[in-house]
Amino acid sequence: MTSSSAPGRVRPLVLALAPPAPGISHDAETPSLETLGGSRLIERLLSTLHALGLPAPVVVARSEAAGHLRALLDPRLTVLAVDGDRRRALRAALEVCDDPLLLVHDAERALTPQTVIAEVLASLHGGLDAVVPVVAMTDSVKEVLPGGLRNVDRSTLAGLQSPRLLRREVLEAALDPAQTPAEQAPRGGRFDEIHAALAAGARVGTVQGSHSGFAVLDRLTLWQAQISLGLARDTSHRRGLARRG
């Protein structure tokens, strides 16, 4: 790990922005409050970050969940409430910290292995502006064209995970709509700081992600998380069981 990416110079920003999902606990205002194996998802993530020697994270949550998180988490943690999208959440976090490196982590990706996070922290060197873990695309991908569908070579594609390590000035530029040409914005209008950084000309490095780094957002992914931790059996291969509610 280079001196420019030492843990003491990195501020984790934990985003708990996902809305409640059907099929999981009714009292959880956001999926990261789900209990898994005796501890909540966000608690697992905060423990992983602490084990790496990182400073106390800034937690940003939807207004509906912020109060519950403040009551649950260490009172010394900063928990910000926001009404808006990911861009607004990141802007709010930057207003309360002045660290030169920011580690943006989605609270729903709480099972991301410590080794992946450590690799991200160790890989911001040379001329890179940001680092993100990626996994190979396994599903068939098609491009929709006026004349029909076209196969896309999956070897040229990758899925982005968390955490994302960005230099402060790069994240600030990514959050500025004037720095991201409209024609380069991702389809669907959903803001992603890595997409925006790339559109603004940033140099982004990658490390190998993990199949455990998926987002727990609903009943299916909660079940997958239980399997990942050895808390449930994968019965999808048994005829008829996968469809039972």
Side-chain angles (χ1 to χ4, degrees):
M1 185 177 298
T2 65
S3 59
S4 65
S5 58
R9 295 176 56 81
V10 178
R11 179 67 58 179
L13 308 180
V14 175
L15 307 183
L17 303 177
I24 58 179
S25 300
H26 298 296
D27 61 347
E29 296 90 347
T30 188
S32 65
L33 286 170
E34 287 297 324
T35 299
L36 194 63
S39 61
R40 297 180 188 269
L41 285 168
I42 194 166
E43 293 172 326
R44 287 179 175 273
L45 174 56
L46 295 177
S47 294
T48 300
L49 297 175
H50 179 73
L52 286 164
L54 291 164
V58 173
V59 179
V60 190
R62 295 165 54 254
S63 294
E64 296 87 343
H68 196 164
L69 283 165
R70 288 194 189 103
L72 171 72
L73 302 178
D74 188 324
R76 293 171 293 183
L77 285 180
T78 299
V79 179
L80 305 177
V82 295
D83 291 310
D85 60 5
R86 188 180 186 91
R87 189 195 299 266
R88 184 171 296 182
L90 289 170
R91 283 176 176 163
L94 288 180
E95 290 177 0
V96 300
C97 65
D98 58 3
D99 306 85
L101 298 173
L102 292 311
L103 187 74
V104 181
H105 206 315
D106 295 303
E108 298 77 35
R109 297 183 183 271
L111 302 188
T112 301
Q114 181 175 320
T115 53
V116 172
I117 303 175
E119 183 67 17
V120 169
L121 291 169
S123 298
L124 188 65
H125 50 70
L128 292 179
D129 298 311
V131 178
V132 60
V134 299
V135 291
M137 189 72 67
T138 57
D139 293 333
S140 176
V141 179
K142 310 290 183 184
E143 182 180 8
V144 180
L145 300 172
L149 299 178
R150 183 181 71 85
N151 287 328
V152 177
D153 182 3
R154 289 178 297 181
S155 67
T156 66
L157 304 176
L160 303 185
Q161 295 186 323
S162 292
R164 292 97 177 272
L165 182 62
L166 301 96
R167 300 189 189 279
R168 184 184 186 90
E169 62 272 18
V170 173
L171 181 55
E172 288 174 338
L175 294 172
D176 182 359
Q179 299 294 322
T180 307
E183 63 271 15
Q184 295 186 34
R187 293 181 181 179
R190 298 186 65 179
F191 176 79
D192 183 285
E193 62 278 1
I194 294 297
H195 291 164
L198 286 168
R203 295 154 296 185
V204 179
T206 63
V207 301
Q208 181 60 48
S210 168
H211 291 299
S212 297
F214 60 88
V216 178
L217 296 170
D218 51 27
R219 183 178 179 182
L220 174 60
T221 48
L222 182 62
W223 174 61
Q224 291 172 334
Q226 292 169 337
I227 294 172
S228 179
L229 293 174
L231 302 174
R233 293 171 54 198
D234 183 356
T235 58
S236 59
H237 64 286
R238 296 181 61 186
R239 191 179 187 87
L241 290 181
R243 296 184 179 179
R244 292 181 184 176

